[in-house]
Amino acid sequence: QVQLVESGGGLVQAGGSLRLSCALSGSIFSIYHMAWYPQAPGKQRELVAAITTGGVTNYVDSVKGRFTISRDNAKNTVYRQMDSLKPEDTAIYHCNAKRRNGYWGRGIQVTVSS
């Protein structure tokens, strides 16, 4: 059974940085496309950053230049480096692994204070 566990969230001031991690267990990490979906209060989850099995990355415009997604197949982990954080980045950040099926982590809170 595939399990995803996020870590690294917390409270940070605007302009600060955080690095989120998501560890996959129960399967072979390298075969999954990985992505991060923040869910802001009162909103649906939205895809903002993704990385393919081959390491190709994609970002929505609102995070380009501020957020970086990367993966370490040896550690079964995907990362999200977030710099220049803004209060509007406050959300629960969910990790997603996709191959034929999609799997979700429970999410981790990131709060950016102004």
Side-chain angles (χ1 to χ4, degrees), residues 35-39 45-50 57-64 67 69 80 82 89 93-94:
W36 287 96
Y37 286 73
Q39 185 169 14
R45 297 177 192 180
E46 61 169 344
L47 174 64
V48 295
T57 58
N58 284 286
Y59 304 92
V60 296
D61 287 344
S62 62
V63 306
K64 283 181 180 177
F67 292 177
I69 187 171
R80 181 172 177 176
M82 304 188 294
D89 294 320
Y93 283 74
H94 295 270

Side-chain angles (χ1 to χ4, degrees), residues 26-77:
S27 185
I28 302 171
F29 176 75
S30 61
I31 67 174
Y32 292 92
H33 303 300
M34 302 298 295
W36 287 96
Y37 286 73
Q39 185 169 14
K43 297 185 178 181
Q44 292 186 337
R45 297 177 192 180
E46 61 169 344
L47 174 64
V48 295
I51 186 167
T52 69
T53 56
V56 177
T57 58
N58 284 286
Y59 304 92
V60 296
D61 287 344
S62 62
V63 306
K64 283 181 180 177
R66 299 192 300 123
F67 292 177
T68 303
I69 187 171
S70 60
R71 65 189 298 157
D72 186 336
N73 289 342
K75 295 183 178 180
N76 295 344
T77 301

Side-chain angles (χ1 to χ4, degrees), residues 10-18 38 40-41 60-67 80 82-91 93 109-114:
L11 174 64
V12 64
Q13 288 189 331
S17 299
L18 280 175
V60 296
D61 287 344
S62 62
V63 306
K64 283 181 180 177
R66 299 192 300 123
F67 292 177
R80 181 172 177 176
M82 304 188 294
D83 299 318
S84 303
L85 283 160
K86 304 175 181 180
E88 52 264 42
D89 294 320
T90 294
Y93 283 74
Q109 179 70 47
V110 171
T111 302
V112 184
S113 63
S114 57

